[in-house]
Amino acid sequence: MTSMMQAVVFETTGGPEVLRIVERPVPAPKRGEALIAIAATAMNFADLLQRQGNYSNHAGLNPVLGLECSGRIAALGEGVTGWRVGDRVCALLNGGGYAQYAAVPCGHLLPVPDGVGLRDAAALPEAACTVWSNVVDLAGLKAGEAFLVHGGAGGIGAMAIQVARGIGAEVLCTAGSADKLAVATRLGASRGIDYRTEDFVAAARDHTGGRGVDVILDVMGASYFARNIEALAFDGRMAMIGLQGGREAHAPLGLMMKKRLGLFTTSLRDRPLAAKDRIVAGVRADIWPLIGAGAVKPVIDRSFALRDVVAAHRYMESGRHIGKIVIEIADDRPSSPDRRPFVS
């Protein structure tokens, strides 16, 4: 195994053009860690925020982007049990996925599910961990409840729709185009809402006979906050995982108390290692069987070669993608010129 690897870094924050590929030492796995020879990584909105310098704790982050990956175990640190060199794995990362190797705590590893290709498995960990920790664990979505996810055609949204359907919930989602709504329907949403032309509060109430939805997964923050409260049923719960629509909101506390609502505001990247271990274990117990049964599949828009990482970031910024964008690390094939539309 070589002592040096290729990795994507940026010396100044800014647009996609600041990204460049450099040579860096291959990390050595510490006690309790595995070294992964990375086959692919998948992009997340957080990658854009970090590159732009819009993380409040930007200085303390791994300078190599990438919050998930797939590959094979290349080496093991001391004290590791249950894993072997050569195992096909995917992993939740705290950065470092845009590289040929990454050292990962073994509690953050997941086996690549049967029937899922190594490249496609890169699109699973971050979305699955986000959905499990917020929708399953905190909000406690149950069979028979109504669930609304904003951005249903994105990477998180596509996973949330499938998991909620696997639980037995009724799924509603918002999206901004006919193509995205069509994909969300194929994934299992029974009501797609075009946020550009429809009022999602009215649509949610109409679809539920005036009751409202039981759980909302929100990425918008301030701009949707008051309307989300209106859309929730009595004893409803909202998990807020993003602030794309602003950071400061007026809270209608009286209405929230009247409806006995629960609000969870969460992040995944900055949680302690033990908390992430618990989340990954929950994903393996609750979501991996759904993947094995074919109820949940990775949804991938297109893939890019590592050398085309700048183009990958420009494409994600365009907002045209459906599902995940994958960057292939261990493959020198050209970037895919076409989408890979979801096929049920």
Side-chain angles (χ1 to χ4, degrees), residues 1 9 19 52 87 95 122 125 130 132 136 160 179 194-195 199 203 223 226 275 285 290 308-309 319:
M1 187 174 65
V9 300
L19 299 172
Q52 295 162 354
D87 282 349
T130 298
W132 185 88
V136 179
D179 286 349
D194 187 337
Y195 66 78
D199 176 2
S223 63
L290 295 175
D308 295 324
V309 63

Side-chain angles (χ1 to χ4, degrees):
M1 187 174 65
T2 179
S3 62
M4 300 296 289
M5 67 176 184
Q6 288 189 324
V8 175
V9 300
F10 55 99
E11 295 178 349
T12 61
T13 58
E17 67 279 357
V18 303
L19 299 172
R20 63 191 187 95
I21 299 174
V22 300
E23 292 283 317
R24 293 174 67 95
V26 173
K30 300 175 183 177
R31 183 175 181 83
E33 291 185 341
L35 180 68
I36 301 177
I38 298 177
T41 186
M43 295 180 62
N44 291 277
F45 188 69
D47 299 346
L48 306 187
L49 293 177
Q50 184 175 345
R51 190 207 72 223
Q52 295 162 354
N54 289 330
Y55 258 117
S56 59
N57 60 338
H58 171 76
L61 298 177
N62 189 326
V64 179
L65 300 176
L67 298 178
E68 56 193 330
C69 74
S70 62
R72 293 184 181 271
I73 294 179
L76 294 168
E78 294 182 9
V80 174
T81 60
W83 300 99
R84 296 180 300 178
V85 171
D87 282 349
R88 297 188 338 139
V89 296
C90 53
L92 183 69
L93 305 177
N94 194 27
Y98 289 29
Q100 291 176 307
Y101 293 90
V104 185
C106 284
H108 302 175
L109 295 176
L110 288 157
V112 173
D114 291 340
V116 177
L118 193 59
R119 190 258 319 256
D120 289 2
L124 292 172
E126 176 74 13
C129 287
T130 298
V131 170
W132 185 88
S133 61
N134 288 279
V135 177
V136 179
D137 189 37
L138 290 176
L141 181 67
K142 298 182 287 293
E145 291 190 317
F147 170 65
L148 170 63
V149 55
H150 292 300
I156 300 296
M159 175 65 68
I161 290 171
Q162 295 180 88
V163 170
R165 286 291 295 164
I167 290 171
E170 180 87 358
V171 180
L172 300 83
C173 77
T174 61
S177 72
D179 286 349
K180 292 183 177 183
L181 289 170
V183 169
T185 299
R186 291 202 297 273
L187 289 170
S190 56
R191 177 66 164 92
I193 304 164
D194 187 337
Y195 66 78
R196 299 180 189 276
T197 61
E198 295 183 85
D199 176 2
F200 74 80
V201 177
R205 286 177 172 171
D206 178 69
H207 190 78
T208 58
R211 192 177 65 85
V213 296
D214 300 288
V215 173
I216 294 176
L217 183 63
D218 177 65
V219 297
M220 295 304 296
S223 63
Y224 276 19
F225 187 81
R227 287 191 289 161
N228 280 334
I229 299 304
E230 292 181 33
L232 282 167
F234 277 75
D235 298 308
R237 293 88 70 197
M238 177 167 62
M240 186 182 297
I241 60 171
L243 300 171
Q244 297 178 32
R247 295 173 176 269
E248 303 291 335
H250 171 76
L253 296 178
L255 181 59
M256 293 176 69
M257 292 181 70
K258 178 181 178 181
K259 297 173 80 170
R260 302 182 301 273
L261 302 183
L263 171 63
F264 304 97
T265 57
T266 75
S267 61
L268 180 61
R269 186 175 193 174
D270 58 0
R271 295 197 192 194
L273 292 181
K276 291 183 181 179
D277 289 349
R278 177 180 170 275
I279 291 169
V280 171
V283 166
R284 187 167 182 176
D286 295 334
I287 295 182
W288 250 227
L290 295 175
I291 297 174
V296 174
K297 301 176 182 179
V299 179
I300 297 173
D301 184 296
R302 66 175 66 182
S303 61
F304 288 82
L306 181 63
R307 64 176 176 272
D308 295 324
V309 63
V310 171
H313 271 239
R314 286 181 176 143
Y315 181 60
M316 189 172 194
E317 286 187 338
S318 75
R320 301 196 308 271
H321 61 287
I322 295 176
K324 285 281 195 173
I325 301 168
V326 167
I327 299 175
E328 298 192 52
I329 307 298
D331 197 327
D332 197 39
R333 289 178 298 180
S335 298
S336 171
D338 300 310
R339 278 182 166 176
R340 298 174 54 206
F342 174 77
V343 178
S344 60

